[in-house]
Amino acid sequence: MKILGISGSLRRDSHNTNLVRAAAELVDGETELELWEGLKAVPPYDADDDVAEAPAAVAELRDAIAGADAVLFATPEYNSSIPGQLKNALDWVSRPLATNPLRNKPVAVVGASTGAFGAVWSQAELRKVLAAIGARVLECEVACRHAAAGFDEHGRLVDGEARRQLQEAVEQLVEAARARNEARTPASVAA
Ligand SMILES: Cc1cc2nc3c(=O)[nH]c(=O)nc-3n(C[C@H](O)[C@H](O)[C@H](O)COP(=O)(O)O)c2cc1C
């Protein structure tokens, strides 16, 4: 089982990237959670560039999503929404809509912010965007509030409640991915 982790923050010491790293430590032994680190290289969406041979960073992202059983997104809140670069990357991934790699893919959205609300608005925004793209968006929510205190000096998640919610979200994601894989495996192969 392979989960791709995408953080919406480009910042070196990003709490959201650390949230993805924390999730990678919480998966079961049969699951690998890999952090995708190519967000900064994705160019601005331009339909004129959206041709058969996509820009390298876009092709890499599309392939990474296609090769994963599920995707975990961690997003900060920027002005009550998601960071522009994350939205831009998703705009690239969404085309062509009918065959994009997120279509029917189980995805979970979590988030951290330094404020009191734990990026709940941006998580809701991201769920809306992912649903529009056709992903199978899970109901779970991990709102890591006051993130500066929620991680230690090494970037490890020490907020017990957020950790518990994250564990639950990851388990739900793995379960959804397993169910989808089983449904797609022909009975003759599964037997
Ligand atoms: C441009 C910008 C806009 C922001 N807007 C919000 C906001 O609307 N609500 C909020 O709770 N935090 C807001 N913040 C604070 C970020 O959520 C906080 O800095 C968070 O830690 C960023 O995530 P990161 O640590 O993963 O980089 C904003 C930060 C920036 C840079």
Side-chain angles (χ1 to χ4, degrees), residues 75 77 110-113 115-123 142-146:
T75 183
E77 190 155 297
V110 302
S113 90
F117 299 105
V120 286
W121 283 341
S122 61
Q123 289 183 55
V142 178
C144 185
R145 300 155 211 277
H146 306 298

Side-chain angles (χ1 to χ4, degrees), residues 120-176:
V120 286
W121 283 341
S122 61
Q123 289 183 55
E125 290 274 305
L126 182 51
R127 286 191 196 95
K128 190 179 72 177
V129 171
L130 290 166
I133 292 174
R136 202 184 136 219
V137 187
L138 302 194
E139 288 295 323
C140 57
E141 181 173 274
V142 178
C144 185
R145 300 155 211 277
H146 306 298
F151 294 86
D152 69 13
E153 70 273 25
H154 305 293
R156 282 189 295 250
L157 183 62
V158 291
D159 176 333
E161 176 60 10
R163 214 177 160 78
R164 191 192 58 73
Q165 288 180 345
L166 188 61
Q167 172 97 53
E168 253 179 49
V170 165
E171 283 172 5
Q172 248 182 281
L173 194 54
V174 168
E175 203 178 297

Side-chain angles (χ1 to χ4, degrees), residues 7 9-11 13-17 76-81 112-119 121 147:
S7 166
S9 174
L10 304 175
R11 207 166 64 84
D13 297 323
S14 158
H15 299 309
N16 285 279
T17 305
E77 190 155 297
Y78 280 6
N79 300 309
S80 305
S81 188
S113 90
T114 45
F117 299 105
W121 283 341

